[in-house]
Amino acid sequence: MNKITFTLLFGLLVFFQSSFAQQVKFHRISAQINHDQLHQLFDNGLDIDHFDFKGNSLIAEVSDNDIDIMKSLNIKFDYLIKDLENNYAKINKEIDKSAAAHSKTRGITVPTPAHFALGSYGGYFTLQEMEDQLNLMRTLYPNLISIKSSIGNSIQNRSIWMVKISDNPDVDENEPEVFMNAVHHAREPISMSQVLFFMWHVLENYNTDKEIRNLLNSTELYIVPCVNPDGYYYNQTMNPNGGGMWRKNRRLNSGGSYGVDINRNYSYGWGGSGSSSTQSNDTYRGTAAFSEPETQAIRDFCISRNFVASMDFHSYGNYCIYPFGNVTTNTNPEIPLYSQISQFLTSDNNFVYGNAMQTVGYLASGAGDDWKYGEQTTKNKIYSFTPEVGSSAQGFYPASSNIIPLCNSMIFMNKGLMKLSTNYAEITNTTSNILSSLSPNFSYSIKNYSINPSNYTVSVNPISSYITSVGSANTYSTLNTLQNTNGQIAISLDPATPLGTSIQFEVLTSSIYDTRVDTFSFIYDCVAPNNLTTSAITTSSATLSWSSVVGASGYMISYKDANASTWNPEVSVSTNSYALTGLNPLTAYVWRVRENSCSTYSSSASFSTLSNAVSYCNSGSTSTYYSWMDKFVLTNVSRTSSSDGGYYDGSALVADVVKGTPSTLTFSAGYRKTKYRVYWRIWIDYNSDGDFNDAGEQVYSINSTSSSNLSFSLNVPSSVTAGQKRIRVAMKQGSYPTSSCEVFTYGETEDYTINILEPVLAFKQTFIPDMIEPFELNVSPNPFIDDIHIQLLPTEYNLKNEHYIEVYDINGRKLYKATLEAEILSQAIPTENFPKGMYILSITNSDNQRKTFKLIK
């Protein structure tokens, strides 16, 4: 063996020994501990950067070193997944298999860009594939994206690539600048994937999506897809199918370990809590602030630019973190503004927002977002955010079937950052769809999204040839962040404009950077009649009325059976009322009206005819007087009486009735005179077919001497299907009885709803005690106050099953229902509106296995 060969082999041996020496195993564990025990773990060196801690349940991804700390403190724990690096691929394969079987489209909000495809690194991109993507973007869209350039080199001399996206990518325009970067931490590849997805999305849709076009025309978007190329390449090399758990860069430390956490290496708050001075720890902060070439490159780049806002993409947790992360009680002087902005940014994906302690639950000193915002001497203030993409159940390497949904979850947030960075406003049309004047006003609201006070001019540009002139433009000065205000601009129409004409026009919203163009329209036509009312309803007729329209010479009425698809022929009338006859009893109808010279109908109104006459035998004395009353309500409904002895009106109150349990329903007369006997009739539409005439549905005919109300006990048969059913109540229109049996017609009826529920014992009857393979989960806290947290343990069995969650009160009334897709393992149930008491939580998986929990509030 010659000297050169020996030296080469020896070098390779040293490389592999040093590489494998770094392969500390990571595991997903769960532990039942309290807050004091959690702090004790951190005080003794627990080195975890992502975990889920709710109630007294901790789920975290920990290293062998952390396992030793837990054992030394006698903290009991369970392994959920041992050796994550070796098992990520296996678990993700099962998730992908389940997703393929169910053809899932969950979380897809925008079409996948034509040029976006999953990479070869467990669905993620290798470093070379990332570079190839940037090169392809430039080749296809040279007018929108720059050639990639390096802002500096890593510790192992790899380029840290940057590109710029704008309408003039090769020109340094005087436009607001936005900064996005990913992969500070090497084991967070979804951060890179989602930013590349977003880049393709804006490039491919620039010509067809006016929102994207306005954003790229008025901003300069700078993107660094991988801040930590060395650490990323190390994971890619050691675990080519994904799952590598290396976090830091690849500096060789003085003690022989590798790596500095570059998101603990920025100068603002450097050296504080939430970073480690131990070289082997995952949060090792380095020997000094900006000791690493990666953070130096970001620092110098930010100083050279004038960024308004930035996002440092990380994973995981579904959080939107903002400064400051190095303190428990946030000292950020602009917390109200940050909270307002974060609420907007997360309105689509519902990420939890706040500083590090409010979101991930620990301090983080020396983080990039704190420096970007907090350091305002060498550079300007940058409004910075750290989105944590993906749920705790998905971990650092979500299955490939989850990559595109997770990319989608960031589209709104990423565009939102660009809106905040520039002068961007949106116009909402508040004008009626139909205008009858030849001199109408276009009414609108304008909302400013810019993080800085902004100026706009709003003007109207005619499209329709019937527009003869438009009013002056409106100018808005210094609208604040997310401020909304109203305005209007006059439009004049040609007197020869035919009724029914669609009038189109453009609205131009101009800022110093760009002009947004929106197209709106309205119909020029007569005003439709309103205040439609129906009275004097019988079994075969009803009187229709509406408010008169000034100048109308007549009206056209049309009506139909509510279940019919076509309207009956129109009826021409000269006044604002009409007696409709020839109707069918106990039938629902809808009707509408228009001016006879116009095409615009009113909104539809509805009514139901009464039942046919029924026979009833009077058990009272023939000398008893009868009164009539035609309105009544379920008790406990707010109501007021009129001063002239009028009636109380009905209300669509929903009453809950449990099958097999007698339930008392009470109806109160709206108006009655004393000393009179009343007939009540109650029907229930058990079959939910809209017909009260089916066998078994006519349940009560009662001759009541009650002075004000009727109470009766309803026992719903077990054969009735649970769900909402209509209940119809009527009172007899009184008269002097002439015999012991008489035939009469009921007065006006009222319909209500009863909610028929399964008995609570149904849980025990359907519970399956002998499970082939039990599914494991934690439910906490119990007792609860504001919410209930469900965390299914990430076993292979749980990951491949869907889970169905239901919460019932003690009476069996269902209060909450949700479905967890196969790969989703956690759910928070909001319970702030639950009254104090006992509840039943039922969780069933797709194998029809069930678990129930008794919970107390």
Side-chain angles (χ1 to χ4, degrees):
M1 179 182 299
N2 60 42
K3 184 177 179 179
I4 295 176
T5 303
F6 175 80
T7 302
L8 178 60
L9 290 176
F10 179 78
L12 290 172
L13 177 62
V14 170
F15 169 77
F16 283 113
Q17 284 180 336
S18 64
S19 295
F20 285 109
Q22 301 298 317
Q23 292 298 292
V24 177
K25 290 184 178 180
F26 285 79
H27 320 275
R28 189 173 294 169
I29 59 95
S30 68
Q32 295 299 310
I33 60 175
N34 57 38
H35 281 85
D36 291 338
Q37 290 173 305
L38 180 61
H39 289 300
Q40 185 183 23
L41 285 169
F42 279 115
D43 291 341
N44 282 271
L46 186 71
D47 193 27
I48 56 176
D49 66 319
H50 291 79
F51 60 90
D52 186 72
F53 184 68
K54 294 184 178 72
N56 289 327
S57 176
L58 171 72
I59 296 179
E61 297 190 352
V62 300
S63 67
D64 288 335
N65 298 331
D66 297 323
I67 293 291
D68 291 339
I69 294 172
M70 298 180 76
K71 289 179 178 178
S72 70
L73 296 175
N74 295 317
I75 301 293
K76 296 181 185 268
F77 63 89
D78 294 315
Y79 285 102
L80 303 180
I81 304 175
K82 269 192 171 185
D83 193 353
L84 281 165
E85 286 188 327
N86 287 332
N87 284 287
Y88 256 130
K90 180 181 178 182
I91 294 170
N92 287 347
K93 184 177 180 181
E94 289 297 319
I95 294 174
D96 292 338
K97 182 179 179 181
S98 174
H102 291 85
S103 300
K104 294 183 182 295
T105 58
R106 177 187 50 81
I108 306 300
T109 58
V110 299
T112 300
H115 294 95
F116 182 88
L118 300 184
S120 63
Y121 175 35
Y124 301 97
F125 298 104
T126 65
L127 276 182
Q128 185 59 54
E129 288 170 342
M130 179 268 290
E131 293 181 26
D132 294 341
Q133 292 278 298
L134 300 183
N135 293 336
L136 180 60
M137 290 177 185
R138 173 63 179 188
T139 299
L140 296 176
Y141 299 97
N143 295 325
L144 294 176
I145 186 170
S146 69
I147 298 173
K148 73 178 190 298
S149 60
S150 176
I151 63 170
N153 290 339
S154 67
I155 193 71
Q156 294 180 345
N157 208 35
R158 290 185 175 87
S159 292
I160 301 173
W161 296 113
M162 180 276 298
V163 292
K164 170 188 165 185
I165 297 179
S166 185
D167 60 332
N168 291 298
D170 300 325
V171 179
D172 192 358
E173 297 181 285
N174 184 27
E175 293 178 347
E177 298 174 350
V178 191
F179 184 34
M180 294 181 179
N181 63 79
V183 195
H184 267 76
H185 292 148
R187 61 189 178 195
E188 301 173 8
I190 186 63
S191 63
M192 177 195 290
S193 293
Q194 69 81 26
V195 79
L196 291 172
F197 185 99
F198 179 67
M199 293 166 69
W200 279 120
H201 174 70
V202 298
L203 292 172
E204 292 183 3
N205 290 281
Y206 173 83
N207 289 324
T208 57
D209 188 315
K210 65 183 176 184
E211 180 180 65
I212 291 174
R213 186 167 59 254
N214 291 149
L215 290 173
L216 295 191
N217 287 353
S218 59
T219 59
E220 295 183 322
L221 173 59
Y222 293 84
I223 298 174
V224 174
C226 186
V227 178
N228 183 5
D230 296 345
Y232 193 86
Y233 183 78
Y234 178 78
N235 277 334
Q236 169 193 319
T237 304
M238 303 305 293
N239 295 83
N241 293 320
M245 294 297 289
W246 188 257
R247 166 186 169 93
K248 302 181 287 183
N249 71 0
R250 291 297 295 170
R251 172 180 290 279
L252 177 59
N253 297 316
S254 60
S257 66
Y258 276 82
V260 171
D261 183 348
I262 57 178
N263 204 42
R264 300 295 185 273
N265 191 240
Y266 290 85
S267 63
Y268 194 93
W270 182 87
S273 299
S275 65
S276 176
S277 60
T278 302
Q279 294 179 349
S280 60
N281 279 10
D282 267 349
T283 54
Y284 174 51
R285 56 183 173 250
T287 56
F290 291 119
S291 62
E292 304 311 298
E294 294 88 353
T295 52
Q296 293 169 19
I298 298 297
R299 177 197 62 192
D300 296 344
F301 184 56
C302 289
I303 292 173
S304 72
R305 305 309 315 170
N306 189 27
F307 293 124
V308 176
S310 75
M311 278 185 175
D312 300 355
F313 297 111
H314 285 250
S315 68
Y316 54 80
N318 290 338
Y319 302 125
C320 179
I321 307 173
Y322 58 72
F324 292 114
N326 65 323
V327 289
T328 300
T329 301
N330 202 344
T331 57
N332 187 325
E334 295 184 275
I335 289 178
L337 177 60
Y338 258 108
S339 180
Q340 180 188 25
I341 293 170
S342 298
Q343 185 176 14
F344 160 64
L345 290 174
T346 62
S347 58
D348 178 71
N349 56 24
N350 296 315
F351 281 15
V352 175
Y353 59 86
N355 73 344
M357 187 57 71
Q358 293 171 306
T359 52
V360 291
Y362 55 81
L363 298 178
S365 297
D369 57 356
D370 282 3
W371 175 80
K372 292 181 184 70
Y373 174 73
E375 200 286 314
Q376 300 175 21
T377 301
T378 62
K379 59 168 185 56
N380 61 294
K381 174 176 62 177
I382 303 173
Y383 288 96
S384 53
F385 301 85
T386 297
E388 298 272 3
V389 185
S391 69
S392 57
Q394 294 166 318
F396 290 116
Y397 289 86
S400 60
S401 57
N402 284 331
I403 292 175
I404 288 178
L406 288 173
C407 293
N408 272 265
S409 75
M410 296 300 297
I411 292 291
F412 180 90
M413 179 180 278
N414 293 345
K415 287 196 294 188
L417 186 75
M418 298 180 69
K419 292 179 181 180
L420 291 166
S421 301
T422 188
N423 284 21
Y424 184 87
E426 290 181 354
I427 295 290
T428 301
N429 180 12
T430 60
T431 308
S432 171
N433 291 331
I434 300 168
L435 296 176
S436 59
S437 171
L438 289 170
S439 301
N441 285 320
F442 167 64
S443 299
Y444 63 89
S445 65
I446 177 172
K447 185 172 185 178
N448 172 47
Y449 287 88
S450 174
I451 205 168
N452 295 313
S454 303
N455 304 327
Y456 302 97
T457 300
V458 177
S459 58
V460 169
N461 179 43
I463 296 177
S464 172
S465 60
Y466 291 104
I467 298 178
T468 57
S469 65
V470 296
S472 300
N474 292 328
T475 300
Y476 299 89
S477 300
T478 61
L479 290 181
N480 294 320
T481 307
L482 301 177
Q483 181 181 350
N484 196 73
T485 190
N486 298 322
Q488 60 182 23
I489 296 177
I491 295 176
S492 296
L493 300 181
D494 189 326
T497 304
L499 291 174
T501 301
S502 175
I503 306 298
Q504 284 193 317
F505 54 94
E506 292 177 336
V507 176
L508 283 61
T509 308
S510 302
S511 72
I512 61 174
Y513 302 115
D514 193 39
T515 296
R516 176 188 175 110
V517 180
D518 296 286
T519 301
F520 296 110
S521 66
F522 62 86
I523 302 295
Y524 170 66
D525 209 337
C526 305
V527 175
N530 56 18
N531 297 326
L532 277 63
T533 59
T534 311
S535 60
I537 302 173
T538 70
T539 58
S540 60
S541 64
T543 297
L544 315 180
S545 304
W546 56 93
S547 295
S548 298
V549 176
V550 177
S553 59
Y555 304 92
M556 302 298 291
I557 298 171
S558 58
Y559 75 98
K560 69 182 182 72
D561 186 307
N563 295 319
S565 58
T566 57
W567 293 85
N568 292 321
E570 288 185 314
V571 178
S572 177
V573 297
S574 58
T575 64
N576 64 322
S577 66
Y578 179 69
L580 193 61
T581 59
L583 306 177
N584 297 318
L586 265 178
T587 302
Y589 288 93
V590 293
W591 64 283
R592 61 186 184 180
V593 61
R594 64 178 177 88
E595 283 191 60
N596 56 10
S597 61
C598 305
S599 61
T600 305
Y601 276 103
S602 65
S603 299
S604 298
S606 61
F607 67 93
S608 295
T609 52
L610 305 182
S611 63
N612 283 318
V614 296
S615 176
Y616 187 80
C617 291
N618 174 28
S619 59
S621 167
T622 58
S623 64
T624 302
Y625 293 93
Y626 290 83
S627 69
W628 66 272
M629 53 204 70
D630 65 353
K631 296 280 184 180
F632 29 85
V633 296
L634 285 173
T635 54
N636 300 322
V637 178
S638 297
R639 53 190 184 269
T640 57
S641 60
S642 60
S643 59
D644 60 354
Y647 53 77
Y648 301 113
D649 202 1
S651 176
L653 180 69
V654 177
D656 291 333
V657 178
V658 180
K659 290 198 300 186
T661 302
S663 301
T664 299
L665 296 182
T666 301
F667 295 87
S668 178
Y671 167 64
R672 66 172 292 135
K673 296 179 181 179
T674 58
K675 298 181 182 180
Y676 289 90
R677 191 178 296 272
V678 179
Y679 289 121
W680 301 74
R681 199 66 173 264
I682 298 97
W683 298 262
I684 300 178
D685 184 15
Y686 280 146
N687 296 334
S688 300
D689 59 0
D691 183 356
F692 288 94
N693 295 327
D694 297 337
E697 291 186 340
Q698 181 177 310
V699 293
Y700 288 101
S701 293
I702 301 171
N703 179 8
S704 172
T705 57
S706 169
S707 62
S708 61
N709 58 52
L710 168 72
S711 294
F712 68 98
S713 180
L714 177 65
N715 196 340
V716 178
S718 59
S719 59
V720 173
T721 303
Q724 289 194 346
K725 313 292 181 182
R726 281 199 306 163
I727 181 170
R728 178 167 290 178
V729 185
M731 292 181 185
K732 175 188 180 294
Q733 183 170 334
S735 62
Y736 290 103
T738 56
S739 63
S740 60
C741 288
E742 58 182 323
V743 176
F744 57 86
T745 301
Y746 284 97
E748 183 177 341
T749 63
E750 292 286 344
D751 286 1
Y752 306 98
T753 300
I754 59 173
N755 191 28
I756 298 177
L757 305 174
E758 298 287 352
V760 71
L761 292 178
F763 295 118
K764 297 179 181 178
Q765 295 168 353
T766 58
F767 179 64
I768 303 174
D770 298 324
M771 296 183 181
I772 300 172
E773 185 176 6
F775 57 97
E776 299 299 328
L777 69 155
N778 294 315
V779 178
S780 64
N782 191 17
F784 63 91
I785 299 176
D786 293 328
D787 51 18
I788 303 168
H789 296 279
I790 298 172
Q791 180 68 57
L792 288 142
L793 305 189
T795 61
E796 292 184 40
Y797 186 76
N798 281 346
L799 288 166
K800 71 180 182 180
N801 275 282
E802 290 185 339
H803 296 82
Y804 314 104
I805 301 172
E806 295 174 328
V807 178
Y808 297 80
D809 64 14
I810 195 60
N811 294 318
R813 181 172 51 184
K814 186 185 297 183
L815 304 178
Y816 180 84
K817 181 180 180 181
T819 299
L820 298 185
E821 302 290 348
E823 64 270 26
I824 304 301
L825 299 180
S826 62
Q827 181 76 10
I829 302 174
T831 61
E832 60 270 16
N833 295 325
F834 287 17
K836 292 182 179 180
M838 186 173 73
Y839 296 87
I840 303 296
L841 169 67
S842 170
I843 302 178
T844 309
N845 65 17
S846 48
D847 282 344
N848 202 31
Q849 299 174 345
R850 179 181 300 229
K851 282 192 174 183
T852 59
F853 299 83
K854 183 187 293 184
L855 304 173
I856 302 295
K857 180 170 184 179

